[in-house]
Amino acid sequence: MLHRLLILLLVCGLAACKKAPEAAQIVVWPELSAFDEIAAKAEGLAQVGDGAALRQMQPDVVKLGTAVTPATIPANAKNPAGLQQPLADLAELLTKLSTAPLNDDDLKTYTLALHPLVAVMMTEAGMPHIHANEGPHGGFFHPVFAVDGKQAATLEIKLHDDAGDLEVWLVQGGRDGPPLDLPLDSVLKLDLPDLKRSVELRVRDSQQNAGEDGVSNSRGGLTNYFIFPGETGADAKWLMGTAFAAKARLTLPGGHSSEVFVLKPHVHHE
């Protein structure tokens, strides 16, 4: 009896000593994340043909890119071996970008190759490809300014590349502010000057004004959610495609307007 009791205690003790499996740690690669942000911005400028702004950004692109080296690969990266070739390709691209003088076509070509390469590295490292200005609905944040030039609100805009439809959410102040509710009959105007086009965003309906998630955005006859084309029948095909990019500015009733930003579809590189 005593022998069996000792065996039972030993088994229980061994079980207690076993460590619970540790949760996988999130892969953090600060150098690559910082480069991802500027590479995405540079990509947008290249896509809309803003060569002057692209050249101004070029030194910072090279500086942040050269900080991404094999020595900075996180210890818990998913596939370190798979990062060697993308890192070599990145170094080659940055060398080309550092060569002076670069003509406009080469500058655009080399710049457009950066962000997709970052996406490959993030996949191999096991990192989520999420940008700093991505909002909770999968759109991108941009500040909105009052007539005095001070930031009054923030917009989140989402362009769906498969259908060309747009969604906009407005919040007061910074990106974490409460909803900026406007009357349901409000109309937001999005100008795309280089394309000589503009669109108007309105509520989906005057009852619930639900988003694509089915959640109502109507609060006492007010809302912060607007869409295009909705049920207007307007053509949105020209906004379709993952490669779409154009300079845009959103204007709200009362004269508030956004900065000029590059409108691009939300595309996660898998």
Side-chain angles (χ1 to χ4, degrees):
M1 180 71 179
L2 180 59
H3 179 68
R4 293 175 62 185
L5 180 60
L6 288 174
I7 292 176
L8 180 62
L9 290 173
L10 178 61
V11 170
C12 292
L14 289 173
C17 288
K18 289 182 179 179
K19 293 183 179 179
E22 294 183 2
Q25 291 185 336
I26 296 174
V27 179
V28 179
W29 193 346
E31 294 84 1
L32 185 59
S33 295
F35 181 57
D36 179 41
E37 294 301 322
I38 197 168
K41 292 177 182 177
E43 179 183 61
L45 294 174
Q47 288 175 320
V48 299
D50 194 340
L54 191 58
R55 287 188 183 279
Q56 187 175 6
M57 185 181 288
Q58 183 183 357
D60 290 332
V61 170
V62 172
K63 179 181 179 181
L64 290 176
T66 53
V68 182
T69 65
T72 65
I73 296 175
N76 62 337
K78 183 178 72 173
N79 183 21
L83 288 164
Q84 300 309 313
Q85 188 58 54
L87 281 166
D89 293 341
L90 174 62
E92 182 179 352
L93 275 173
L94 293 171
T95 298
K96 292 178 177 179
L97 278 171
S98 303
T99 303
L102 274 179
N103 61 50
D104 290 343
D105 288 340
D106 285 344
L107 177 60
K108 179 178 179 179
T109 298
Y110 300 149
T111 299
L112 288 175
L114 293 173
H115 195 220
L117 193 56
V118 171
V120 171
M121 287 191 282
M122 287 189 160
T123 298
E124 295 297 335
M127 299 171 64
H129 194 176
I130 299 174
H131 292 285
N133 71 326
E134 290 190 23
H137 305 98
F140 295 103
F141 284 125
H142 300 285
V144 175
F145 300 97
V147 292
D148 61 2
K150 295 181 180 179
Q151 183 174 352
T154 300
L155 69 91
E156 180 186 352
I157 187 166
K158 184 175 184 179
L159 170 60
H160 297 263
D161 65 274
D162 57 344
D165 53 318
L166 289 159
E167 296 180 277
V168 166
W169 296 262
L170 302 171
V171 296
Q172 301 175 40
R175 61 181 64 181
D176 296 322
L180 174 59
D181 284 336
L182 304 175
L184 288 168
D185 61 356
S186 298
V187 178
L188 278 54
K189 185 179 180 184
L190 184 72
D191 290 302
L192 298 93
D194 292 346
L195 301 182
K196 295 181 172 57
R197 285 181 175 268
S198 64
V199 301
E200 292 183 340
L201 295 97
R202 295 177 167 83
V203 297
R204 190 182 302 277
D205 58 64
S206 58
Q207 288 76 46
Q208 297 297 315
N209 191 32
E212 296 196 351
D213 56 6
V215 177
S216 173
N217 290 285
S218 180
R219 290 171 288 275
L222 302 173
T223 189
N224 73 325
Y225 174 68
F226 300 86
I227 65 170
F228 169 84
E231 301 300 324
T232 64
D235 177 29
K237 292 185 178 65
W238 58 278
L239 286 161
M240 292 173 58
T242 58
F244 179 88
K247 289 184 178 180
R249 183 197 295 271
L250 186 73
T251 303
L252 280 57
H256 289 23
S257 64
S258 74
E259 61 178 358
V260 174
F261 60 90
V262 176
L263 175 66
K264 297 176 62 177
H266 185 124
V267 178
H268 277 307
H269 302 275
E270 298 296 341

